[in-house]
Amino acid sequence: MSTKLKATKKVKSNLPKLHKPLFAIAVAEWNSNITEALLQGALDVFKREGYKNVIVKHVPGTVELTYAAARMIDIEGISAVIVIGCVIRGDTPHFYYVCQSVTAGVAQLNTVGNAPIIFGVLTTENEQQALDRAGGALGNKGAEAAEAAIKMADFTQSIEAHGLSRRFSMRDIEAALEEFNAMENYDDFGDDEFDDDYDEPDDKSHHKKYN
């Protein structure tokens, strides 16, 4: 049974209006008949809302979406990132490994707080379920991801407008972690050990050459 994928329905927008946002979308090539329909759904929403600054990049599969998102949140001025993929259950445990990898990866990147990453990855039992969610009977999850991206970009702008947050690049975070780990090395020394370094020695002979 096949499903004819439909274009995103034209509806009256109740989404927030953003000032010159920049969006990025990473799309998996695997199951491209599904992922391209999801991508089109997202692009339709951005076009409807009047947002033209959208970067689209393709990666081989769903696992690679985490790396793509990690690089995209470092793009200067980025408002939100969407990852789009489709994983269909097969006869091997590969389905679980892929789903766990991309879910955990995106969740971890979102804790960084640099830019929201919207999860637009379908994880379905079969192809029909995926088709139903890529412009079929159950709508287009790519379009829903774009709407979520706009809402989260607005949330970020509202927070930053009040000076309540600061954006960090992944390099900033790595440098901070390295500095923290280096500081932890000082825990190996006790107070007594530092005090001994400054104890006034009884023998003053080593000062004679400076007298």
Side-chain angles (χ1 to χ4, degrees):
M1 177 180 176
S2 62
T3 299
K4 183 177 180 180
L5 304 183
K6 303 175 182 178
T8 306
K9 293 181 180 179
K10 293 184 177 180
V11 296
K12 184 177 180 180
S13 173
N14 59 352
L15 296 172
K17 298 302 178 184
L18 305 173
H19 179 66
K20 295 182 178 180
L22 172 61
F23 297 103
I25 307 176
V27 188
E29 294 175 345
W30 191 256
N31 290 323
S32 60
N33 61 319
I34 304 296
T35 60
E36 290 301 314
L38 294 171
L39 170 62
Q40 191 58 54
L43 293 176
D44 287 347
V45 170
F46 289 136
K47 181 179 180 180
R48 182 191 74 200
E49 298 298 316
Y51 302 135
K52 298 179 180 180
N53 293 329
V54 182
I55 300 170
V56 178
K57 296 292 181 181
H58 288 76
V59 295
T62 301
V63 172
E64 289 76 30
L65 290 173
T66 299
Y67 175 78
R71 297 303 301 269
M72 284 178 160
I73 60 175
D74 270 351
I75 297 173
E76 184 176 358
I78 194 67
S79 302
V81 174
I82 300 173
V83 293
I84 289 178
C86 177
V87 189
I88 299 174
R89 187 189 301 276
D91 296 329
T92 70
H94 184 67
F95 172 85
Y96 297 102
Y97 300 144
V98 173
C99 293
Q100 183 179 23
S101 173
V102 67
T103 302
V106 170
Q108 184 175 6
L109 289 173
N110 266 320
T111 63
V112 173
N114 192 45
I117 303 174
I118 310 303
F119 195 78
V121 178
L122 296 182
T123 56
T124 63
E125 295 287 336
N126 51 60
E127 185 178 15
Q128 186 58 52
Q129 289 182 350
L131 290 169
D132 288 343
R133 291 161 175 77
L138 298 178
N140 191 305
K141 298 303 178 181
E144 293 179 14
E147 293 178 354
I150 293 171
K151 291 178 180 178
M152 290 305 297
D154 178 67
F155 170 82
T156 302
Q157 286 186 3
S158 67
I159 293 294
E160 292 181 343
H162 290 85
L164 299 177
S165 69
R166 175 187 169 191
R167 289 194 172 193
F168 296 90
S169 70
M170 293 300 290
R171 295 179 184 86
D172 292 333
I173 295 168
E174 289 170 357
L177 286 173
E178 288 179 3
E179 182 178 354
F180 176 77
N181 290 331
M183 291 177 64
E184 281 191 322
N185 292 333
Y186 290 109
D187 291 340
D188 296 333
F189 299 95
D191 293 339
D192 293 340
E193 292 176 274
F194 281 109
D195 291 342
D196 289 343
D197 292 339
Y198 297 98
D199 285 343
E200 187 69 24
D202 294 334
D203 183 8
K204 305 291 184 178
S205 60
H206 63 288
H207 290 297
K208 291 180 180 179
K209 61 181 177 181
Y210 300 109
N211 292 337

